[in-house]
Amino acid sequence: MEDVLEVYHRPYNANVPIVCMDEKPYQLLAHARAPKPVRPGSDRKEDSEYVRHGTCSIFVWVEPLAGRRRVDARPRRTRIDWAAEIDHLLTIDYPTAPRVVLVMDNLNTHTLGSLYEAFEPVKARNLASRLEIHYTPKHGSWLNIAEIELSALTRQCLSRRIETSTDSTPSSPPGSRRPTPTNAKSTGNSPPPTPASNSGTYTQNIRYDGLLASVAHSVWPLMMPSNPLAEV
């Protein structure tokens, strides 16, 4: 615990950014019947029946001292997916930073070995050498600031039905009407809880190219101050 807290007390350094990451599974659901929109004297109404569109994994990357975040959605959360996210972090988000301090939980995919599984040894070594990893302790993932951001994202954006098939319209804020697919096959009643892991029901027509992320950026306000430790 002290190790992570000491990292949070470091001053802001643009050359050595402190980044927190977290991820969660998310079940993709569509409306079996079009909701009835809000009108005078009547709230928006949704049918309890839904259509399953598989699952995805949502990755959140947060630099608290800079007030910066990135959200991405992938069909799975394998070692290869995590390695691809690290590659994006180091080559696109922070291409000139000689070192990035990374705070995260010790999930089995969150290891440097994942880089070697995904990339050639030379590239994997180059990426690994730029990471300074600090794991939150067991049962102490609440120390991860990215978990706070992910909780806010879940409450403000993901607590609704989102289906990301290739024939869906662009993302829209909560409360807007989304089309009902004509090829619905699997239906149910009230939405079940988010699964603990990918259920294997993913089909290739699910988009994971940032569609959920665009929703998050459009409706998810910046919650962190420029220095979250200023009042500590």
Side-chain angles (χ1 to χ4, degrees):
M1 179 184 294
E2 290 84 356
D3 175 63
V4 175
L5 294 178
E6 287 176 359
V7 169
Y8 288 161
H9 275 284
R10 295 181 188 179
Y12 174 72
N13 185 344
N15 293 321
V16 187
I18 299 174
V19 179
C20 304
M21 75 82 54
D22 198 10
E23 60 182 274
K24 69 167 290 181
Y26 183 76
Q27 184 164 213
L28 302 169
L29 301 173
H31 294 291
R33 299 172 185 82
K36 294 183 178 180
V38 175
R39 52 184 184 177
S42 178
D43 295 333
R44 184 175 186 268
K45 294 180 175 61
E46 292 183 3
D47 196 303
S48 61
E49 193 174 11
Y50 61 89
V51 182
R52 293 188 179 94
H53 277 233
T55 61
C56 67
S57 187
I58 298 175
F59 291 79
V60 176
W61 304 82
V62 183
E63 185 186 356
L65 297 181
R68 177 180 179 180
R69 70 172 61 83
R70 175 170 63 84
V71 181
D72 196 12
R74 290 180 170 269
R76 291 168 288 274
R77 63 158 194 85
T78 65
R79 293 178 181 272
I80 303 301
D81 292 296
W82 184 80
E85 287 290 321
I86 290 294
D87 185 34
H88 189 289
L89 177 76
L90 297 177
T91 61
I92 298 179
D93 294 340
Y94 303 97
T96 61
R99 187 171 83 257
V100 173
V101 180
L102 183 59
V103 176
M104 58 183 174
D105 59 35
N106 56 358
L107 192 66
N108 62 337
T109 59
H110 298 172
T111 67
L112 297 181
S114 297
L115 300 177
Y116 288 88
E117 187 172 329
F119 306 116
E120 293 295 326
V122 173
K123 179 174 182 177
R125 176 57 184 168
N126 289 337
L127 293 175
S129 64
R130 294 177 57 199
L131 288 176
E132 178 187 331
I133 297 176
H134 296 264
Y135 291 109
T136 56
K138 189 176 181 180
H139 304 303
S141 61
W142 51 271
L143 286 169
N144 190 349
I145 293 178
E147 191 169 285
I148 301 173
E149 294 272 349
L150 190 53
S151 175
L153 172 65
T154 300
R155 293 194 309 270
Q156 299 181 24
C157 176
L158 301 179
S159 58
R160 62 190 179 99
R161 295 174 184 171
I162 298 178
E163 58 96 3
T164 55
S165 61
T166 53
D167 60 352
S168 65
T169 58
S171 300
S172 50
S176 61
R177 179 174 176 174
R178 302 189 63 83
T180 300
T182 58
N183 59 344
K185 294 182 179 179
S186 176
T187 62
N189 294 316
S190 299
T194 302
S197 62
N198 202 343
S199 64
T201 57
Y202 166 75
T203 56
Q204 292 299 323
N205 69 340
I206 293 177
R207 294 177 55 187
Y208 55 96
D209 55 357
L211 184 60
L212 289 177
S214 65
V215 180
H217 287 298
S218 66
V219 302
W220 187 20
L222 183 65
M223 297 191 62
M224 304 298 296
S226 58
N227 186 349
L229 299 175
E231 300 179 357
V232 175

